[in-house]
Each structure stands twice: as structure tokens, then as C-alpha cells.
């Protein structure tokens, strides 16, 4: 995802790179192609192992998931959750926190999740040791019980 390739020729269902690697053509998109729904991009990582500092299908962390998903949609995002909180979107009034919208970013100190809708989030986390879809209220309560309050919701 988001890797740049130089294709020198095509061979049946494959594109051949200048390094001689064969890549399935269905896995390649144009350099200007952008995802229309960054939440759907994040959902493609469901089941990916959690890896602090990771940013691939081999292992990913919460802010890496957000950064990759937004970048795939053409939205620039910094790497770490604190930087993302400071630079992305607009803050939502705490009175509205009970009803996040698809694509809202939920922030805790050191953690970020993406709202899928009013009731569920997608996030890479050490509790599950993978990227999961989770009930938002349950995740907020579990993370609070572990000592971290929800600090912001930002709307892209």
C-alpha cells in the first residue's frame, strides 16, 4: 500500500518491476488514485497484528493505521497520535462525543481510533494485539478503567 513501483512490462496477470519482481496487476493502482473512504481502508487491516511503530500488514500500531488510511485517501497525516491530534481536523464539542460520525478520530493520551459509525471504532491496539472493530462505548470504558480518559474527538 502506497509503495511506488516502476513497471517495465506486463506478463499476463502480472506487472514486472525494474527489479524483476512480479506483482499481480490487480494490486496496483495509478500514482494519482485515491481511496474515497479512509475508514474502509482502515477496515482492510482488521486482523493485522499490533506492532508498536508498525505501519504495514505485517504489524501496525494505532497511529500508523490512521496515517496509512488517511494517506491512501490523499490526506496528509503525521506519524504519532499526539501529532495527529494537534494537526488533523477540527475538535468536536464534548457534548457531541456520544455520537461520533464515520471518520471521526478519537484520541486518548498515546492512542487514536477511527469511528466507523456512532457505535463502533476500528483501531490497532495492544489489548487485542491486533486491529479490530470494537464497540466504542466499551472501548472508551475499558481504556478509562486502564487509566486513560478520552481527550478529544476530531472531525476530518
Amino acid at each position: 500500500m502506497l509503495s511506488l513501483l516502476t513497471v517495465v512490462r506486463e506478463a499476463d496477470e502480472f506487472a514486472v518491476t525494474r527489479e524483476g519482481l512480479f506483482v499481480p496487476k490487480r494490486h496496483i493502482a495509478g500514482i494519482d488514485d485515491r481511496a474515497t473512504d479512509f475508514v474502509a481502508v482502515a477496515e482492510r487491516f482488521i486482523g493485522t497484528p499490533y506492532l508498536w511503530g508498525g505501519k504495514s500488514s505485517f504489524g501496525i500500531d494505532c497511529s500508523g493505521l490512521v496515517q496509512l488510511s488517511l494517506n491512501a485517501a490523499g490526506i496528509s497525516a503525521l506519524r504519532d497520535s499526539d501529532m495527529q491530534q494537534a494537526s488533523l481536523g477540527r475538535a468536536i464539542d464534548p457534548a457531541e462525543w456520544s455520537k461520533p460520525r464515520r471518520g471521526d478520530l478519537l484520541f486518548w493520551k498515546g492512542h487514536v481510533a477511527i469511528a466507523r459509525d456512532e457505535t463502533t471504532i476500528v483501531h490497532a491496539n495492544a489489548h487485542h494485539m491486533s486491529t479490530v472493530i470494537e464497540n466504542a462505548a466499551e472501548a472508551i470504558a475499558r481504556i478509562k478503567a486502564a487509566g486513560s480518559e478520552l481527550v478529544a474527538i476530531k472531525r476530518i
Side-chain angles (χ1 to χ4, degrees):
M1 180 176 283
L2 302 176
S3 297
L4 295 176
L5 302 173
T6 300
V7 175
V8 294
R9 67 183 174 86
E10 295 183 14
D12 298 319
E13 299 297 315
F14 295 91
V16 182
T17 69
R18 70 174 162 216
E19 296 82 14
L21 301 173
F22 286 70
V23 179
K25 286 195 253 182
R26 70 178 189 275
H27 293 185
I28 299 174
I31 197 164
D32 294 324
D33 287 359
R34 300 288 182 251
T36 57
D37 180 3
F38 78 89
V39 180
V41 174
E43 291 169 337
R44 290 168 47 188
F45 285 87
I46 299 302
T48 299
Y50 174 81
L51 176 64
W52 185 79
K55 202 171 85 166
S56 76
S57 61
F58 295 112
I60 196 163
D61 68 10
C62 61
S63 56
L65 179 67
V66 169
Q67 185 185 44
L68 268 176
S69 301
L70 287 170
N71 287 171
I75 302 167
S76 181
L78 297 172
R79 178 63 179 93
D80 295 329
S81 62
D82 60 337
M83 297 174 191
Q84 292 170 350
Q85 181 182 341
S87 64
L88 292 171
R90 66 174 179 82
I92 300 304
D93 187 294
E96 298 179 55
W97 285 8
S98 64
K99 293 190 179 188
R101 292 185 193 165
R102 184 174 182 84
D104 285 352
L105 302 178
L106 289 72
F107 290 94
W108 294 262
K109 184 177 182 190
H111 187 61
V112 61
I114 303 168
R116 295 179 65 239
D117 51 38
E118 285 187 11
T119 62
T120 60
I121 58 174
V122 58
H123 61 143
N125 65 89
H127 177 77
H128 294 98
M129 289 307 293
S130 68
T131 302
V132 298
I133 294 171
E134 188 172 7
N135 177 279
E138 291 173 10
I140 291 167
R142 176 177 49 74
I143 295 168
K144 181 178 181 178
S148 186
E149 295 271 350
L150 187 66
V151 294
I153 295 182
K154 303 286 288 284
R155 187 154 293 152
I156 302 296

